[in-house]
């Protein structure tokens, strides 16, 4: 027991302030930074979240396979998740299934969440319970064809919390629960092509910001970010300013990533550096 307690303390010390004192604080950190939950689940102005409406339902995804609006995830019992149990919320995040047995649209990146530790999952749920209930009914989803839920490679099961003391493994964990590769990897004949095009970019995202095209974030020096410094990558992630000083568009959650700890940003960047170059 002494050895385990010491190891746990050392792990927490290494990952820094991101591991807060209470589950609610940890959940708030994850939800409001790397997971960018409010980026989809909050109504936009544009460009920012409508005051007082955080997490009450947000972006509409009207794409060929589906027409869905990000639902209300506040504790409102009628239009949100206030009537859901903790296990209901965890089941949706880990399996993509609602309490009524129906799947959510694959635009909800549940295939990246199997990796979440039990402690972090409990923290996320604890934080969601503290949100202000907002009554807001979003349109019912329309599914035009059935799409299979994809699990991100390596995220099939919860990571060992001890591994989070390793910078690269923590970077992989954070980039995974932040579903970075969902947007920065193109679809090929339906599914996202993680096997051959990881980080290659090229997907289009229409929204209040206009139309964005996700960029190549592999280590390619000509097409990717191989020539970027860590400081330049960090500036792009947290402020939306690229290497050449150009202002980047949404839906990249710059305003959320700006509140990540330096240690966590450094870990994400270190892992992104390992992406093989794709031209």
């Amino acid at each position: 027991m002494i050895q385990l307690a010491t190891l746990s303390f050392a792990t927490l010390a290494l990952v820094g302030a991101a591991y807060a004192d209470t589950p609610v604080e940890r959940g708030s950190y994850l939800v409001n930074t790397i997971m960018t939950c409010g980026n989809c689940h909050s109504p936009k102005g544009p460009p920012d979240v409508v005051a007082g409406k955080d997490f009450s339902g947000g972006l509409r995804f009207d794409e060929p396979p589906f027409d869905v609006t990000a639902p209300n995830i506040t504790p409102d019992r009628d239009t949100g998740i206030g009537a859901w149990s903790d296990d209901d919320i965890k089941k949706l995040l880990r399996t993509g299934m609602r309490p009524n047995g129906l799947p959510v649209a694959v635009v909800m990146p549940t295939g990246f969440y199997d990796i979440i530790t039990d402690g972090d999952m409990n923290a996320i749920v604890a934080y969601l319970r503290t949100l202000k209930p907002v009554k807001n009914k979003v349109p019912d989803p329309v599914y035009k064809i059935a799409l299979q839920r994809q699990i991100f490679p390596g995220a099939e099961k919860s990571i060992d919390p001890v591994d989070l003391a390793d910078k690269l493994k923590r970077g992989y964990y954070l980039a995974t629960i932040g579903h970075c590769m969902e947007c920065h990897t193109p679809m090929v004949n339906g599914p996202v092509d993680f096997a051959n095009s990881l980080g290659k970019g090229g997907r289009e995202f229409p929204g209040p910001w206009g139309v964005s095209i996700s960029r190549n974030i592999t280590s390619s020096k000509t097409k990717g970010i191989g020539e970027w410094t860590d400081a330049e990558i960090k500036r792009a992630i947290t402020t939306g300013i690229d290497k050449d000083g150009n202002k980047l568009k949404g839906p990249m959650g710059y305003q959320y990533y700006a509140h990540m700890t330096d240690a966590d940003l450094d870990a994400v960047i270190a892992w992104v550096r390992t992406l093989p170059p794709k031209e």
Side-chain angles (χ1 to χ4, degrees), residues 225 228-238 269 272-273:
I225 56 174
W228 293 35
T229 66
D230 286 2
E232 288 167 342
I233 298 174
K234 187 178 292 188
R235 183 177 72 164
I237 291 173
T238 59
I269 292 168
V272 168
R273 292 284 195 199

Side-chain angles (χ1 to χ4, degrees), residues 183-186 197-203 213-218:
C183 294
H184 287 280
T185 305
S197 305
L198 189 66
K200 188 177 179 179
R203 291 184 63 178
I213 301 176
S214 63
R215 73 161 298 127
N216 185 328
I217 58 170
T218 72

Side-chain angles (χ1 to χ4, degrees), residues 132 139 160 240:
K132 181 186 75 172
D160 187 335

Side-chain angles (χ1 to χ4, degrees), residues 60-140:
R60 178 185 178 188
F61 298 88
D62 185 7
E63 302 177 12
F66 45 74
D67 182 355
V68 299
T69 299
N72 186 338
I73 58 171
T74 74
D76 181 72
R77 293 187 64 84
D78 296 324
T79 63
I81 59 173
W84 293 27
S85 70
D86 288 0
D87 285 342
D88 287 338
I89 299 172
K90 294 175 186 177
K91 180 180 179 180
L92 182 139
L93 292 173
R94 289 207 188 278
T95 70
M97 300 298 292
R98 294 186 180 89
N100 61 8
L102 295 176
V104 295
V106 293
V107 69
M108 173 67 176
T110 62
F112 291 78
Y113 296 156
D114 298 79
I115 197 173
I116 297 175
T117 67
D118 288 341
D120 279 350
M121 185 65 75
N122 290 334
I124 290 164
V125 173
Y127 172 68
L128 292 177
R129 295 294 193 198
T130 71
L131 298 177
K132 181 186 75 172
V134 179
K135 190 171 294 296
N136 181 40
K137 177 70 168 68
V138 304
D140 291 331

Side-chain angles (χ1 to χ4, degrees), residues 6-264:
T6 303
L7 183 57
S8 177
F9 177 81
T11 301
L12 295 182
L14 281 168
V15 298
Y19 281 73
D21 293 334
T22 70
V24 169
E25 290 171 330
R26 173 64 176 168
S28 175
Y29 176 78
L30 294 173
V31 166
N32 292 305
T33 62
I34 187 63
M35 294 181 74
T36 64
C37 300
N39 204 28
C40 288
H41 288 278
S42 300
K44 299 296 191 296
D48 298 319
V49 174
V50 177
K53 299 292 186 178
D54 303 78
F55 302 106
S56 67
L59 291 180
R60 178 185 178 188
F61 298 88
D62 185 7
E63 302 177 12
F66 45 74
D67 182 355
V68 299
T69 299
N72 186 338
I73 58 171
T74 74
D76 181 72
R77 293 187 64 84
D78 296 324
T79 63
I81 59 173
W84 293 27
S85 70
D86 288 0
D87 285 342
D88 287 338
I89 299 172
K90 294 175 186 177
K91 180 180 179 180
L92 182 139
L93 292 173
R94 289 207 188 278
T95 70
M97 300 298 292
R98 294 186 180 89
N100 61 8
L102 295 176
V104 295
V106 293
V107 69
M108 173 67 176
T110 62
F112 291 78
Y113 296 156
D114 298 79
I115 197 173
I116 297 175
T117 67
D118 288 341
D120 279 350
M121 185 65 75
N122 290 334
I124 290 164
V125 173
Y127 172 68
L128 292 177
R129 295 294 193 198
T130 71
L131 298 177
K132 181 186 75 172
V134 179
K135 190 171 294 296
N136 181 40
K137 177 70 168 68
V138 304
D140 291 331
V142 175
Y143 303 115
K144 301 172 184 178
I145 61 173
L147 289 178
Q148 185 175 2
R149 175 176 178 261
Q150 279 186 271
I151 298 178
F152 185 61
E156 296 84 3
K157 63 179 182 179
S158 299
I159 194 172
D160 187 335
V162 174
D163 287 343
L164 299 180
D166 180 277
K167 185 176 183 179
L168 280 179
K169 291 179 180 178
R170 188 165 83 256
Y172 168 73
Y173 177 72
L174 293 167
T176 300
I177 67 174
H179 49 91
C180 303
M181 294 301 117
E182 179 189 36
C183 294
H184 287 280
T185 305
M187 291 180 170
V188 177
N189 298 322
V192 181
D193 187 20
F194 295 131
N196 303 302
S197 305
L198 189 66
K200 188 177 179 179
R203 291 184 63 178
E204 291 189 357
F205 294 91
W209 47 81
V211 177
S212 291
I213 301 176
S214 63
R215 73 161 298 127
N216 185 328
I217 58 170
T218 72
S219 54
S220 168
K221 293 185 177 181
T222 55
K223 301 295 185 179
I225 56 174
E227 291 286 0
W228 293 35
T229 66
D230 286 2
E232 288 167 342
I233 298 174
K234 187 178 292 188
R235 183 177 72 164
I237 291 173
T238 59
T239 71
I241 305 295
D242 72 7
K243 184 179 188 294
D244 300 317
N246 300 309
K247 182 66 176 176
L248 304 173
K249 299 178 182 179
M252 181 85 167
Y254 314 109
Q255 69 273 32
Y256 298 92
Y257 305 135
H259 299 287
M260 290 176 66
T261 65
D262 284 339
D264 279 352

